[in-house]
Amino acid sequence: MEKKPILFITRHDPSQSGGGCYATRAYLEALIELYPQRVCLFVGNSFNENKIYGYEKLAEIIRVPGRTHYQFAIGLIKNSYTKFDDALKIWLKTNKPEFAVLDGGIIGGSYVKRLKECEAKVYTIHHNQEVEYNKDNKTMDTLRGKYTGWVRKIERKAYLLSNKNLFITDADLQSFELEYGKFDNNYTLGCFEFFSEKEGKYKASISESLEKNLKLVMSGSLDTIQTKESFYWFMDTIYKKLITKVPHMKLSLTGRNPGSELIALCEEKNVDVIPSPEDISLILSQNHIYLCPVKLGGGLKLRIMDAMKVGLPCLIQERSLRGYEEMTKTGFVLSFKDENDFMISFEKLIEKMKNSSSFSEIIFNEYNKNFSFPSGVLKLKRILQN
């Protein structure tokens, strides 16, 4: 008997760059690994399958063009929240999936009822509580963050009707349970890296004295509100104290699309900017400590994994630590609340680094156990086949 297809629908383009895209890529590649030749992908028409590990094992790729702002507004009025409605309706006329993995609460709420009518099980991956994300992400797709009523309505539908709800962090799961009620079909999937042949190629190491040449680094999408606002906050508060206390310190900032205002500020403060790096792991491995001051947005700060997979000690704002709690067991991944708390954690981390010659291996081994692609495939398998 021929096995039924498995549906994967996503608003993110997993072949592009960015936190949501990278997370979706990891989930898609893991699903292909578990169910080769069976996964049917619904995705935007910008999708480049050649960037996806195991793409030749995809059963089908259905690319759907984006919507104009006018079409988006009309869709909201008609309760059509995504661009996939017509394409999915046509596909379901001749296909009956065994189960569907819906990437995000908006996708989940849009199609959970329709798919269950086809007797398919529905598993929704909630990247975050989208109401919280929309408030901080003031783009057209979030209606400038001002109107969250429709988000709450459709996200709630996904949560209540899906056979299983998969969350990236325990904090997200708990916030959903507080908002919409507790259910036995909730699981913390966690985050993990997509497949990479370069895994483990670079390792951080201290080749210079921390007292003479301390190198700190930040990374992220430098054109997003969350990253920019958090960086400006860091420079206005923590950086002033830090450079006074540690004058031999050098800070670098790397990531996609830094704007002219951000570059000008970095030049003024003697901060190095490395725009759109080809190999982020190489850059991070040449530093001593990774900083993540991001305290906005509802999603997981996925690029922290770039630092962990090269064994780089980390100082992370407590909101961005969500999902990485296991890494604090190493003693080299610390969190902070504010500028005063940062200095305490900074001094504690420096002292621990001075007293250890194997911190990189400790961090990498814990990362490999919890966030590597193979570990993610096993996590997804346990949840889907439970």
Side-chain angles (χ1 to χ4, degrees), residues 29 192-203 279 281 303 305-311 363-375:
E29 291 180 351
F192 52 90
E193 271 287 21
F194 51 80
F195 176 83
S196 174
E197 294 180 348
K198 295 182 179 180
E199 196 78 25
K201 181 179 180 180
Y202 301 108
K203 292 285 180 65
D279 194 336
S281 294
R303 293 342 311 150
M305 285 195 291
D306 287 326
M308 294 176 174
K309 71 182 177 185
V310 300
I363 297 168
F364 176 75
N365 289 339
E366 195 66 24
Y367 154 84
N368 197 48
K369 184 171 66 176
N370 292 287
F371 302 104
S372 65
F373 180 70
S375 73

Side-chain angles (χ1 to χ4, degrees), residues 339-379:
E339 57 264 37
N340 294 323
D341 196 36
F342 176 90
M343 296 308 298
I344 295 172
S345 295
F346 174 77
E347 292 177 1
K348 183 178 178 180
L349 182 57
I350 290 292
E351 193 61 32
K352 289 186 69 66
M353 292 170 66
K354 289 179 180 177
N355 294 324
S356 173
S357 59
S358 58
F359 62 83
S360 288
E361 285 298 324
I362 293 171
I363 297 168
F364 176 75
N365 289 339
E366 195 66 24
Y367 154 84
N368 197 48
K369 184 171 66 176
N370 292 287
F371 302 104
S372 65
F373 180 70
S375 73
V377 173
L378 288 176
K379 288 178 187 177

Side-chain angles (χ1 to χ4, degrees), residues 27-283:
Y27 299 138
L28 173 62
E29 291 180 351
L31 198 63
I32 295 171
E33 186 82 354
L34 292 171
Y35 302 98
Q37 311 302 335
R38 294 181 63 191
V39 179
C40 174
L41 172 66
F42 275 69
V43 70
N45 61 357
S46 63
F47 178 68
N48 180 356
E49 68 271 22
N50 293 305
K51 292 186 177 181
I52 303 301
Y53 169 69
Y55 75 90
E56 70 281 355
K57 298 176 185 177
L58 276 167
E60 190 175 8
I61 302 172
I62 297 176
R63 295 176 173 84
V64 179
R67 298 188 292 181
T68 66
H69 289 170
Y70 173 76
Q71 291 171 325
F72 177 80
I74 294 298
L76 292 185
I77 295 172
K78 294 182 176 180
N79 292 326
S80 175
Y81 301 120
T82 83
K83 59 192 175 186
F84 299 109
D85 281 13
D86 293 339
L88 181 61
K89 190 180 297 183
I90 294 170
W91 188 84
L92 287 174
K93 287 180 179 179
T94 55
N95 294 275
K96 300 299 178 186
E98 179 180 333
F99 67 85
V101 177
L102 305 182
D103 190 47
I106 300 300
I107 293 290
S110 297
Y111 303 121
V112 59
K113 192 172 181 180
R114 186 185 305 180
L115 288 164
K116 292 189 78 172
E117 287 172 353
C118 298
E119 300 182 349
K121 292 182 179 179
V122 175
Y123 309 136
T124 297
I125 301 175
H126 299 272
H127 286 238
N128 47 50
Q129 190 165 21
E130 296 204 27
V131 171
E132 178 185 3
Y133 171 77
N134 280 25
K135 288 177 180 177
D136 287 335
N137 192 45
K138 297 175 173 51
T139 64
M140 178 59 193
D141 279 353
T142 64
L143 298 182
R144 304 300 177 192
K146 292 180 180 179
Y147 181 60
T148 56
W150 70 273
V151 177
R152 181 173 279 105
K153 175 183 175 182
I154 197 167
E155 181 178 73
R156 181 176 184 274
K157 183 190 292 186
Y159 180 74
L160 296 179
L161 297 182
S162 293
N163 294 87
K164 293 180 182 179
N165 290 292
L166 284 53
F167 298 91
I168 298 183
T169 72
D170 289 331
D172 291 326
L173 188 155
Q174 291 162 9
S175 70
F176 268 76
E177 291 185 337
L178 186 64
E179 181 80 20
Y180 306 121
K182 291 187 177 182
F183 294 94
D184 293 334
N185 62 343
N186 294 338
Y187 300 85
T188 300
L189 171 61
C191 65
F192 52 90
E193 271 287 21
F194 51 80
F195 176 83
S196 174
E197 294 180 348
K198 295 182 179 180
E199 196 78 25
K201 181 179 180 180
Y202 301 108
K203 292 285 180 65
S205 62
I206 297 180
S207 58
E208 301 163 290
S209 171
L210 294 177
E211 288 86 358
K212 293 181 180 180
N213 189 16
L214 179 63
K215 296 178 181 179
L216 311 180
V217 64
M218 297 181 191
S219 70
S221 297
L222 303 182
D223 54 354
T224 63
I225 291 173
Q226 294 94 330
T227 304
K228 289 191 295 184
E229 291 301 317
S230 297
F231 178 70
Y232 293 145
W233 167 75
F234 178 87
M235 297 303 293
D236 288 340
T237 56
I238 296 173
Y239 185 77
K240 294 177 181 178
K241 294 182 179 180
L242 193 57
I243 198 68
T244 300
K245 186 175 182 64
V246 192
H248 61 278
M249 176 202 80
K250 183 63 177 178
L251 176 63
S252 297
L253 179 65
T254 183
R256 291 187 300 123
N257 305 326
S260 57
E261 180 184 359
L262 188 147
I263 292 174
L265 175 63
C266 290
E267 289 178 351
E268 177 188 340
K269 302 295 184 181
N270 194 29
V271 174
D272 287 342
V273 180
I274 307 171
S276 304
E278 290 187 11
D279 194 336
I280 188 71
S281 294
L282 174 60
I283 292 170

